[in-house]
């Protein structure tokens, strides 16, 4: 390839950069989609409560019966769900895109620097 052709290629590549060499300031972050969260969303409320109860119990915590649950937003790349258990215990369930789950007491999430989970309706 001739020098002139290489020169045109380099000039056109430099033009693609915008000339400034700095990263754009208005970048939209994309939240990763999780098949696990999508499956949880598609469940009936009763089956969703059972799945969340199982996550709470698998983490070594207790929950006899979930009286209400809801999706409560996101934190970093995790979906947050809240569950209110019979007996007055509230839990925040953090679900990562790879399916890893962390369960925290709603009383402790703010102390840990996590977003407050509030009470699930019901």
């Amino acid at each position: 390839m001739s020098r002139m052709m290489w020169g045109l290629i380099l000039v056109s590549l430099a033009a693609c950069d915008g000339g400034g060499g700095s990263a754009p300031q208005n970048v939209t972050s994309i939240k990763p989609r999780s098949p696990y969260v999508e499956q949880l969303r598609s469940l009936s409320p009763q089956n969703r409560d059972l799945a969340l109860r199982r996550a709470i119990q698998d983490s070594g915590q207790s929950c006899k019966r979930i009286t209400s649950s809801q999706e409560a937003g996101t934190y970093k790349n995790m979906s947050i769900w809240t569950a209110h258990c019979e007996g007055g215990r509230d839990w925040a369930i953090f679900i990562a895109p790879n399916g890893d789950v962390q369960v925290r007491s709603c009383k402790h999430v703010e102390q840990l620097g996590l977003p407050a989970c509030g009470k699930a309706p019901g």
Side-chain angles (χ1 to χ4, degrees):
M1 212 182 273
S2 72
R3 287 183 193 220
M4 179 120 177
M5 184 62 89
W6 280 109
L8 288 174
I9 291 172
L10 291 175
V11 167
S12 61
L13 287 175
C16 290
D17 183 31
S22 63
Q25 297 301 316
N26 293 332
V27 176
T28 304
S29 65
I30 299 172
K31 302 222 184 300
R33 295 185 65 113
S34 168
Y36 305 101
V37 172
E38 295 299 326
Q39 287 175 356
L40 192 58
R41 285 181 184 135
S42 71
L43 294 174
S44 69
Q46 182 180 15
N47 286 333
R48 180 186 64 224
D49 289 350
L50 288 171
L52 294 173
R53 180 176 170 257
R54 180 65 187 255
I56 292 166
Q57 290 179 326
D58 285 352
S59 72
Q61 307 301 325
S62 65
C63 179
K64 184 175 181 180
R65 183 175 75 87
I66 291 181
T67 57
S68 62
S69 65
Q70 71 179 10
E71 189 169 7
T74 58
Y75 174 70
K76 296 192 178 182
N77 67 340
M78 294 179 282
S79 177
I80 305 171
W81 292 75
T82 58
H84 179 74
C85 291
E86 193 173 81
R89 297 191 78 182
D90 294 316
W91 300 100
I93 299 101
F94 296 83
I95 305 171
N98 67 356
D100 286 346
V101 176
Q102 292 185 22
V103 176
R104 300 284 182 237
S105 166
C106 283
K107 291 179 182 178
H108 298 128
V109 292
E110 285 187 86
Q111 294 171 356
L112 297 170
L114 302 170
C117 59
K119 297 235 183 213

